[in-house]
């Protein structure tokens, strides 16, 4: 099916349906850069669509699915969500998957393992890293850990979203 959106001189294009938007504002769908939801449980995302949101980013506040992100993305796609979905790898999830958990002083080897998991997530489609530095386990992360993860995101031209350690 061929679709066309734009101005056309009367009689120049034949179309099955014409919507006259003169005097109206027409815009693309909105993007929610900090969303929460689960396309495997509620793929329709009617709450977002009702607001004109057509793209959401999940994996916020340091939490993303605790499974191989590539596999999760395939499952989410198979659920045919009502919105486009972008994913961030959660810092807290990376700590859990690497075995660091709540450890306040991870070794360099453990940090590099976490960086490897982040690289794999980005290779599988993650847009970057999300942190929840005011929540556990993110509040235990030393600066050197965050710097090492930021290097991975930067190398991949990704993004970092963060809940700061203290919003006061």
């Amino acid at each position: 099916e061929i679709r066309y959106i734009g101005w056309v001189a009367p009689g120049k294009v034949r179309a099955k349906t014409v919507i006259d938007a003169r005097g109206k504002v027409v815009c693309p769908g909105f993007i929610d850069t900090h969303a929460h939801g689960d396309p495997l449980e509620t793929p329709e995302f009617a709450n977002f669509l009702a607001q004109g949101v057509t793209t959401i980013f999940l994996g916020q506040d340091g939490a993303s699915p605790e499974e191989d992100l590539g596999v999760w993305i395939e499952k989410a796609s198979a659920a045919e969500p009502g919105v486009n979905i972008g994913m961030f790898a959660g810092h807290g999830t990376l700590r859990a998957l690497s075995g660091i958990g709540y450890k306040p002083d991870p070794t360099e080897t453990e940090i590099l393992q976490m960086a490897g998991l982040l690289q794999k997530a980005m290779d599988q489609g993650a847009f970057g890293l999300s942190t929840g530095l005011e929540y556990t386990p993110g509040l235990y992360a030393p600066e050197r850990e965050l710097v090492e993860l930021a290097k991975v995101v930067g190398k991949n031209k990704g993004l970092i979203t963060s809940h700061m350690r203290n919003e006061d």
Side-chain angles (χ1 to χ4, degrees), residues 53-166:
V53 174
T54 58
T55 301
I56 61 173
F57 281 86
L58 300 175
Q60 301 297 341
D61 307 329
S64 56
E66 288 196 14
E67 66 178 285
D68 183 278
L69 198 58
V71 172
W72 185 88
I73 288 172
E74 285 180 19
K75 288 180 192 174
S77 294
E80 298 182 0
V83 295
N84 302 304
I85 298 173
M87 280 301 299
F88 283 96
H91 171 245
T93 302
L94 295 174
R95 276 183 142 251
L97 293 174
S98 68
I100 294 172
Y102 299 104
K103 190 174 180 182
D105 192 27
T107 66
E108 290 303 312
T109 301
E110 290 170 325
I111 291 173
L112 290 175
Q113 181 182 3
M114 208 172 16
L117 290 169
L118 175 56
Q119 181 61 58
K120 181 180 177 186
M122 294 198 72
D123 290 343
Q124 294 175 325
F127 280 76
L129 174 72
S130 80
T131 66
L133 301 179
E134 69 174 334
Y135 309 122
T136 56
L139 62 87
Y140 298 116
E143 183 178 336
R144 62 189 173 81
E145 174 182 325
L146 300 173
V147 168
E148 196 62 41
L149 296 176
K151 288 178 185 177
V152 174
V153 175
K155 179 180 81 172
N156 289 278
K157 297 181 175 26
L159 301 169
I160 296 176
T161 68
S162 186
H163 255 281
M164 301 178 295
R165 288 198 196 270
N166 185 338

Side-chain angles (χ1 to χ4, degrees), residues 24-73:
K24 308 284 186 210
V25 175
V26 178
C27 69
F30 296 110
I31 301 170
D32 187 334
T33 60
H34 186 115
H36 296 276
D38 186 343
L40 303 179
E41 290 185 19
T42 56
E44 60 278 357
F45 286 108
N47 56 324
F48 290 103
L49 292 172
Q51 300 172 70
V53 174
T54 58
T55 301
I56 61 173
F57 281 86
L58 300 175
Q60 301 297 341
D61 307 329
S64 56
E66 288 196 14
E67 66 178 285
D68 183 278
L69 198 58
V71 172
W72 185 88
I73 288 172

